[in-house]
Amino acid sequence: MPPRESPSTPRWCVVGRSAAAGGFAAVEIDDQGARSPEIPIPADGLAEFVSAREAEAPRRWVWADTPAVYPGLLSAGVRVERCHDLRLCHQILRSSELVGDRSAVRAATQWAVPSEAAEEPRAPLAPALFELEAEARSVRRPSVPESLPEALAEFDRQRAAIDSAAEPNRIALLLAAESVGALIAVELTSAGVPWDAEEHDRILSEALGPRPAPGAKPAALLAVGEEVRAALGDPAASLDSPPKLLRALRAAGVEASSTSRWELAEHEHPAIPPLLLYKKLARLLAANGWNWLDEWVRDGRYRPVYVPGGVVTGRWASSGGGALQIPRQLRPALRADPGCLLVSADVSQLEPRVLAAMSGDRAMAAAGAGRDLYAGIVESGAVATRQDAKIAVLGAMYGGTSGDSGRLVPRLRRAFPAAMRLVDDAAAVGEQGGIVTTWLGRSSPPPGDEWRGVQAAASLPGAGRREEEHARRIARDFGRFTRNFVVQGTAAEWALAWMGELRRRLFAFEPSPGEAPMAASGPVFSARPHLAFFLHDEVIVHAPRAHAEAVAGAIEESAQAAGRLLFGDAPVDFRLDLRISERALKD
């Protein structure tokens, strides 16, 4: 359809760079697809333009990459209600099995992440089921086109892909949730986490000793290191080099195959307890020690950088600051500004509750209604203890087949057949090299060429037992990946819906009169309750003291609203652990 002038009630406003305008340009689009003429925006005028349009009537802002545009708007005091992030939405649409025609989106390789430019994304040979490696490492955003013509063309491709979907409303909801997540991620960085640097220093000094000179190790670390060397009988043992440490352990009679703390804990030797303590202290120093404090905390705020959709299931990752890895030991350093409080909430057993909702398993939903889900499973008679219930549920979602998991999971199949059928079916698809899809439409990557090569080799006439066993093992590994993908990915979608609804409710609070109580949070958030921290199933809101109780109510209401948005009238209770305090302490 050719552009028409003067659209009625603009629904979208596409913004991009413009060489002709010397800054930005925008095109507004209405529900019928009518487009306005191109609107030039000076390089320093984007915040004023966006603010004026938002005051008229909120519309969905369409831009290439939220972190490239939104921080400048927030710095100027401009917040937007909704956006459509072309970069994030492209990654979903090019892979989603719900989309009928992905050809045009796939062909636009300039919008794909680098590893996807030549072909569709592939999962590794044996995916990390818990995806901790992806969360811990630094994740970088790919660069994408920023010009207005490129943005308009990509938006057209994406709208056509959505229209071709078997369930366009479902995939559109996922894209909206992913895009509001992009806004929230930038807002979290902009507002920052209120951080007590003196308390952080006190915690470090208590654990490690006084801050050492640059390049030196703290006294406590040195002392524990000497204990380890004495127990090993090797005064020169290197404790920071895994290969050298492994050699020293074996020389002392500890036949460990790695230096991971999980494996070391299985061995009995006088060197093991101090070595585990040494590794804990060394991790604290490296990840969140004084150098981290100097780099990441300024003016009473810790400002991590989040990456929405940074993990293949849709979970967030981090590209700086390690927000997803803050140890419990440092939680007391999260301290509200004077006159304010932190309202913290985390969801009890989020993934099992999501599984109950997805599968329609009323028995599992009833087990978690208004109570701890694991306790409810015990009351159902499926298992004997809460610990057994936890082991069984985690085994069901992550594919545990040995030990206690192997003993307990079959009991869940009898007690909760619908829930178990969903994850078992997802695992069976993965074992055959297939693709599974979350509730709203994010699809798993297929296995890579190496995986397929192993399966093909095992089916050749001359294949032996070794090749066949290897093929079966990696098939089961991929089945465990797809088994968990559908649950973890849908839980990530629920969390986005929860935060999106909470974000909307928080901004409806009247700003605090007089001097802004949270001035360090910036012009948009200095006087209103706002999200300050997010970790998969946990949020922390920084709020003026007078609003704290109402904020707790908004968090609870937002959780239930997210459940209704995704699962309709499914009888699943998303139970929250709510706390209001000056410091973010977590049991």
Side-chain angles (χ1 to χ4, degrees):
M1 178 185 296
R4 298 199 304 269
E5 294 188 3
S6 303
S8 60
T9 315
R11 182 176 178 185
W12 298 280
C13 187
V14 185
V15 176
R17 295 281 179 179
S18 171
F24 297 90
V27 168
E28 296 186 320
I29 307 173
D30 68 12
D31 285 322
Q32 285 71 48
R35 298 184 176 187
S36 72
E38 187 172 310
I39 306 166
I41 306 170
D44 60 354
L46 183 60
E48 182 180 354
F49 174 81
V50 172
S51 178
R53 290 303 199 271
E54 283 280 310
E56 291 175 2
R59 72 271 333 264
R60 197 173 295 278
W61 296 90
V62 181
W63 45 48
D65 189 21
T66 301
V69 179
Y70 197 35
L73 298 180
L74 289 174
S75 296
V78 178
R79 171 192 179 273
V80 303
E81 270 197 38
R82 297 184 294 270
C83 82
H84 181 97
D85 187 298
L86 292 169
R87 178 181 65 85
L88 289 174
C89 293
H90 178 94
Q91 313 314 324
I92 292 171
L93 290 171
R94 70 182 283 112
S95 301
S96 176
E97 293 284 290
L98 290 190
V99 178
D101 184 0
R102 290 174 274 165
S103 57
V105 173
R106 286 180 175 179
T109 55
Q110 68 273 30
W111 290 88
V113 299
S115 62
E116 298 174 4
E119 59 179 350
E120 284 303 289
R122 302 278 168 172
L125 184 66
L129 297 178
F130 293 88
E131 299 183 340
L132 295 179
E133 294 177 351
E135 295 174 358
R137 68 171 181 259
S138 178
V139 177
R140 298 180 61 186
R141 295 186 349 265
S143 59
V144 291
E146 295 185 348
S147 73
L148 178 61
E150 286 270 24
L152 284 166
E154 175 62 15
F155 188 46
D156 286 343
R157 287 189 288 266
Q158 293 191 12
R159 290 180 68 189
I162 295 167
D163 290 343
S164 76
E167 298 182 69
N169 290 339
R170 184 168 296 214
I171 195 75
L173 178 56
L174 174 56
L175 301 182
E178 189 84 341
S179 295
V180 79
L183 294 174
I184 291 169
V186 174
E187 291 171 357
L188 287 168
T189 302
S190 177
V193 184
W195 199 266
D196 186 342
E198 291 185 3
E199 177 66 9
H200 188 150
D201 178 75
R202 187 197 67 77
I203 293 169
L204 293 177
S205 298
E206 185 178 85
L208 298 167
R211 182 171 186 168
K217 288 184 177 179
L221 197 62
L222 291 172
V224 175
E226 289 307 310
E227 285 185 47
V228 177
R229 294 184 182 93
L232 290 174
D234 184 352
S238 173
L239 307 185
D240 300 315
S241 166
K244 293 179 180 179
L245 174 59
L246 200 58
R247 286 197 292 271
L249 286 166
R250 289 172 176 170
V254 180
E255 294 300 323
S257 59
S258 78
T259 61
S260 75
R261 61 181 182 272
W262 295 282
E263 180 174 348
L264 292 175
E266 296 178 357
H267 295 271
E268 292 187 9
H269 188 278
I272 297 300
L275 178 56
L276 292 175
L277 176 59
Y278 181 90
K279 291 174 74 69
K280 179 181 179 181
L281 296 179
R283 169 65 182 169
L284 175 64
L285 178 65
N288 300 104
W290 288 281
N291 289 340
W292 181 94
L293 186 58
D294 292 343
E295 181 178 2
W296 287 101
V297 179
R298 293 282 189 282
D299 303 320
R301 289 295 183 271
Y302 156 47
R303 303 181 192 275
V305 181
Y306 294 93
V307 181
V311 177
V312 69
T313 58
R315 272 189 162 194
W316 286 17
S318 167
S319 68
L324 308 179
Q325 303 292 322
I326 296 297
R328 186 177 303 176
Q329 186 177 4
L330 288 179
R331 283 300 184 101
L334 280 73
R335 182 179 184 179
D337 290 349
C340 300
L341 291 169
L342 299 177
V343 187
S344 308
D346 58 273
V347 192
S348 300
Q349 303 103 23
L350 173 58
E351 291 186 2
R353 293 175 192 273
V354 163
L355 174 57
M358 293 172 69
S359 62
D361 195 312
R362 290 184 173 271
M364 181 173 275
R371 59 184 170 180
D372 176 85
L373 180 105
Y374 298 139
I377 290 175
V378 173
E379 288 186 24
S380 75
V383 296
T385 67
R386 187 183 185 281
Q387 181 63 16
D388 282 352
K390 184 174 183 180
I391 291 170
V393 169
L394 293 178
M397 292 190 301
Y398 290 91
T401 58
S402 60
D404 287 339
S405 289
R407 174 175 59 86
L408 295 168
V409 167
R411 301 183 188 181
L412 291 191
R413 289 197 174 90
R414 292 191 293 271
F416 310 113
M420 291 301 299
R421 188 180 308 116
L422 187 147
V423 289
D424 287 345
D425 288 350
V429 170
E431 289 179 14
Q432 296 299 315
I435 293 170
V436 295
T437 298
T438 62
W439 187 253
L440 292 184
R442 190 188 304 268
S443 293
S444 62
D449 292 340
E450 185 180 359
W451 188 95
R452 296 188 182 282
V454 170
Q455 302 303 319
S459 64
L460 293 175
R465 176 180 294 180
R466 183 176 180 180
E467 289 79 11
E468 292 173 354
E469 289 181 350
H470 181 44
R472 282 194 294 269
R473 180 178 60 78
I474 68 168
R476 288 193 299 269
D477 287 345
F478 205 80
R480 285 194 288 271
F481 169 70
T482 52
R483 171 189 293 271
N484 182 241
F485 183 96
V486 291
V487 181
Q488 188 181 106
T490 302
E493 293 165 356
W494 181 91
L496 286 174
W498 180 34
M499 283 201 298
E501 176 65 15
L502 177 57
R503 172 183 184 263
R504 183 187 69 79
R505 290 173 184 256
L506 291 177
F507 208 74
F509 280 77
E510 289 295 323
S512 297
E515 184 177 350
M518 300 168 288
S521 295
V524 173
F525 305 111
S526 61
R528 278 191 174 92
H530 58 269
L531 282 160
F533 183 76
F534 170 63
L535 178 61
H536 303 320
D537 58 1
E538 178 187 7
V539 297
I540 297 177
V541 174
H542 194 194
R545 185 177 293 269
H547 291 318
E549 290 290 345
V551 166
I555 294 173
E556 176 70 48
E557 292 161 5
S558 297
Q560 303 314 317
R564 291 191 298 271
L565 180 65
L566 265 67
F567 307 117
D569 59 358
V572 175
D573 175 24
F574 290 95
R575 184 170 177 265
L576 302 184
D577 177 15
L578 277 161
R579 300 169 302 283
I580 301 175
S581 60
E582 182 182 338
R583 297 183 187 271
L585 302 176
K586 186 175 180 181
D587 296 333

